[in-house]
């Protein structure tokens, strides 16, 4: 299993150490390893994310996997240039299963007996499920405002749920204070880089499902940036291996009530702006201070993409439009469709410094949009906005 390396100072840590942050304060990545997938062997492999075994830092454990991955890629009825990837159909109803199964598999191999994680909901439900399958106790720190459906999922899988008063940032702070206990894995979807390598299979699937080609634009919701950074990993690896001809432009979407990355992109900054963040129906991306913010901004710029924001009104309307197509998703999943709709209808905020660039990218000939979480996770957010 590949070790971990600090993105700032280059210090290498054994993966067995359970380290989740460098002593210098830098974020950890997985040390470089050969990720070239045997494309010729793919047709004979199981229909799950584990079909890209060469690109993953750990081998599948048949006692833990639930066959996650290879979610459908379907055309959008209302927007012919858009394909929708239905990750809300994964076992715990969100894309976070991709990273959770990798971390749970790692924890079992390392003989970890207890794990902890902080989450706005979906990562917590995914970790609770997969750590339960691995036979490992799991504690999940979540904001007390977390949707009841997500809390019910976590508890159903046997996780200990710690409700934290205040914002998502308060929850992260509480988890960080509790992290570092001897023998306990901080299975953070933000800090532990093995999670990102599970998520990157989303990008590999897009490539394979589109006839081994990548679209012009990939749109992703961004809070902590795990899907975005996973996509960037996948696309970089595919291009480096000669399996894809180009790097898709990544357009990241934030909620306008909490958009530190969009504001940084607009101002040409290398780090997210500092803000408190307001409440938004897109709870999964309400991250005021993303720890991997510098990496997110660098990745988006490297692809020639940009970052935009949408209002709760636009998000709710997009959620309803998707429901009319038979796709019931949570608000966080609707923000990307809302951004494409705004580009098509030319209804972006005219004062936004990033919307002009986004409009051309979001109306390109081929655009892929993820639907990351099921609507049943947030069933009360169904208001129709006039």
């Amino acid at each position: 299993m590949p070790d971990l390396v600090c993105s700032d100072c280059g210090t290498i840590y054994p993966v067995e150490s359970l380290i989740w942050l460098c002593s210098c304060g830098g974020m950890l990545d997985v040390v470089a390893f050969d990720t070239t997938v045997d494309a010729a062997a793919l047709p004979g492999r199981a229909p799950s994310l584990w079909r890209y075994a060469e690109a993953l830092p750990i081998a599948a454990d048949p006692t833990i996997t639930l066959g996650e991955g290879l979610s459908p890629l379907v055309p959008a009825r209302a927007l012919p240039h858009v394909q929708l990837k239905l990750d809300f159909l994964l076992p715990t109803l969100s894309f976070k299963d991709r990273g959770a199964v990798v971390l749970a598999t790692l924890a079992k191999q390392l003989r970890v007996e207890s794990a902890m994680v902080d989450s706005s909901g979906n990562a917590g439900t995914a970790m609770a499920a997969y750590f339960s399958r691995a036979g490992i106790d799991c504690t999940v720190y979540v904001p007390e405002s977390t949707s009841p459906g997500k809390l019910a999922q976590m508890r159903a899988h046997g996780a200990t749920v710690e409700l934290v008063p205040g914002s998502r940032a308060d929850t992260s702070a509480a988890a960080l204070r509790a992290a570092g206990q001897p023998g306990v894995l901080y299975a953070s979807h933000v800090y532990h880089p093995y999670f990102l390598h599970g998520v990157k299979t989303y990008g590999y699937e897009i490539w394979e499902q589109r006839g081994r080609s990548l679209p012009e634009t990939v749109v992703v919701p961004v809070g902590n940036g795990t899907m975005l950074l996973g996509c960037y990993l996948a696309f970089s690896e595919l291009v480096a291996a000669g399996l894809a001809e180009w790097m898709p432009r990544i357009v990241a979407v934030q909620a306008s009530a909490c958009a530190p990355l969009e504001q940084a992109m607009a101002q040409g900054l290398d780090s997210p702006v500092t803000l408190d963040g307001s409440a938004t129906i897109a709870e999964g991306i309400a991250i005021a201070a993303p720890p991997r913010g510098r990496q997110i901004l660098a990745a988006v710029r490297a692809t020639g993409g940009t970052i935009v924001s949408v209002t709760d009104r636009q998000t709710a309307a997009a959620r309803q439009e998707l429901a009319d197509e038979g796709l019931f998703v949570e608000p966080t999943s609707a923000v990307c469709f809302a951004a494409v709709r705004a580009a098509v209808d030319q209804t972006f905020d005219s004062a936004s410094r990033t919307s002009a660039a986004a409009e051309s990218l979001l109306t390109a000939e081929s655009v892929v949009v993820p639907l990351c979480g099921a609507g049943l996770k947030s069933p009360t957010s169904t208001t129709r906005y006039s």
Side-chain angles (χ1 to χ4, degrees):
M1 296 179 291
D3 291 325
L4 311 181
V5 58
C6 176
S7 60
D8 288 346
C9 72
T11 299
I12 294 177
Y13 297 92
V15 68
E16 296 85 358
S17 67
L18 306 187
I19 292 291
W20 51 272
L21 187 69
C22 182
S23 59
C24 78
M27 302 295 290
L28 299 180
D29 295 321
V30 178
V31 299
F33 64 100
D34 185 5
T35 58
T36 304
V37 169
D38 183 356
L42 288 176
R45 293 183 176 179
S48 77
L49 63 81
W50 298 101
R51 66 197 285 108
Y52 311 111
E54 298 92 338
L56 292 169
I58 195 167
D61 184 331
T63 69
I64 298 178
T65 178
L66 288 166
E68 55 287 321
L70 218 62
S71 60
L73 183 68
V74 302
R77 185 183 65 187
L79 301 172
H81 70 297
V82 171
Q83 291 177 295
L84 305 170
K85 187 143 173 64
L86 312 187
D87 260 27
F88 70 92
L89 298 179
L90 296 188
T92 76
L93 308 182
S94 91
F95 84 96
K96 296 286 176 58
D97 289 359
R98 296 180 182 275
V101 68
V102 171
L103 279 187
T105 301
L106 172 66
K108 184 177 178 182
Q109 288 208 19
L110 297 182
R111 302 183 184 279
V112 169
E113 295 183 357
S114 181
M116 57 163 290
V117 63
D118 60 295
S119 168
S120 59
N122 285 336
T125 61
M127 297 294 188
Y130 284 99
F131 278 98
S132 177
R133 288 184 63 80
I136 297 170
D137 292 336
C138 182
T139 299
V140 185
Y141 287 74
V142 293
E144 62 181 3
S145 60
T146 298
S147 301
K150 296 175 182 178
L151 297 177
Q153 272 190 290
M154 296 173 205
R155 290 172 175 142
H157 294 307
T160 298
V161 177
E162 295 285 349
L163 297 176
V164 181
S167 67
R168 178 65 176 86
D170 294 322
T171 299
S172 296
L176 290 174
R177 288 192 295 269
Q181 302 171 50
V184 177
L185 173 67
Y186 181 30
S188 171
H189 62 294
V190 181
Y191 286 96
H192 203 298
Y194 268 54
F195 189 94
L196 298 178
H197 283 262
V199 174
K200 77 180 179 185
T201 57
Y202 174 90
Y204 276 88
E205 290 175 18
I206 291 173
W207 164 78
E208 187 177 4
Q209 290 171 315
R210 285 179 44 81
R212 302 190 179 185
S213 70
L214 291 171
E216 294 176 70
T217 304
V218 173
V219 194
V220 293
V222 62
N224 276 312
T226 51
M227 173 165 276
L228 188 152
L229 292 172
C231 282
Y232 182 70
L233 272 174
F235 302 152
S236 299
E237 291 171 3
L238 286 164
V239 171
L243 296 174
E245 295 183 10
W246 62 75
M247 192 84 163
R249 281 80 57 89
I250 293 177
V251 176
V253 186
Q254 297 210 277
S256 58
C258 186
L261 294 162
E262 185 249 0
Q263 292 184 34
M265 178 66 66
Q267 297 174 41
L269 304 176
D270 294 331
S271 299
V273 302
T274 301
L275 50 76
D276 293 330
S278 302
T280 171
I281 60 173
E283 62 180 2
I285 54 172
I287 309 298
R292 292 189 182 269
R294 291 179 63 87
Q295 290 180 322
I296 293 167
L297 289 161
V300 171
R301 289 187 173 116
T303 71
T306 190
I307 304 176
V308 295
S309 65
V310 293
T311 66
D312 277 2
R313 184 181 297 274
Q314 290 172 307
T315 298
R319 189 188 193 207
Q320 186 58 55
E321 186 173 358
L322 288 167
D324 292 342
E325 291 201 20
L327 301 167
F328 186 42
V329 300
E330 63 178 338
T332 300
S333 286
V335 297
C336 293
F337 196 82
V340 179
R341 170 55 71 193
V344 170
D345 295 345
Q346 296 186 320
T347 55
F348 269 124
D349 181 355
S350 60
S352 170
R353 299 182 188 178
T354 60
S355 62
E359 284 187 358
S360 64
L361 300 181
L362 295 172
T363 55
E365 185 175 344
S366 56
V367 177
V368 171
V369 169
L371 300 181
C372 307
L376 292 175
K377 289 174 174 283
S378 302
T380 59
S381 301
T382 56
T383 303
R384 283 182 183 264
Y385 285 74
S386 60

